[in-house]
Amino acid sequence: EVQLVESGGGLVQPGGSLRLSCAASGFPFSNYGMQWVRQAPGKGLELVSTIDNSGGYTTYADVVKGRFTISRDNAKNTLFLQMNSLKPEDSAMYYCTTLGSRGQGTQVTVSS
């Protein structure tokens, strides 16, 4: 059974940084690409970033490009999202996803 547990969210001021983590289990983590998606209140899911199984290929939504960095540690079955220069419009529930599953999410709130 695929299990994904996100952590690292919180309240941060505009311009601040957060690092999200996603602990994965129940599947061969190093064999699969991973994604971060987010959902703001009243809005649909938005693909934020993707990474291939080796970590060698990444993609970003235009709205986060240059500010967010996705990475993974296959030895520790963990996915990361480093978020810098955060803006209020980045406020959302963030989820890691793969194989049609997602975790419970971690809330990111950017506000002064």
Side-chain angles (χ1 to χ4, degrees):
E1 178 187 2
V2 173
Q3 291 196 330
L4 303 167
V5 180
E6 302 92 340
S7 62
L11 173 64
V12 64
Q13 292 187 342
S17 299
L18 284 173
R19 189 192 196 204
L20 306 185
S21 298
C22 171
S25 61
F27 67 102
F29 181 75
S30 62
N31 287 3
Y32 292 94
M34 301 288 296
Q35 305 83 37
W36 285 101
V37 300
R38 66 186 183 186
Q39 187 167 29
K43 297 189 176 182
L45 282 173
E46 177 184 24
L47 180 63
V48 175
S49 184
T50 71
I51 189 167
D52 72 351
N53 67 305
S54 70
Y57 182 73
T58 59
T59 69
Y60 298 92
D62 286 344
V63 294
V64 306
K65 201 170 293 183
R67 300 187 296 121
F68 291 11
T69 303
I70 191 172
S71 62
R72 65 191 295 159
D73 184 340
N74 283 346
K76 295 183 178 180
N77 288 3
T78 305
L79 176 72
F80 302 100
L81 185 68
Q82 177 67 43
M83 307 188 296
N84 299 330
S85 302
L86 283 161
K87 304 175 181 180
E89 50 264 44
D90 294 318
S91 298
M93 187 71 79
Y94 283 72
Y95 304 90
C96 62
T97 71
T98 191
L99 296 172
S101 297
R102 70 182 188 191
Q104 83 291 344
T106 187
Q107 178 68 43
V108 171
T109 303
V110 185
S111 175
S112 55

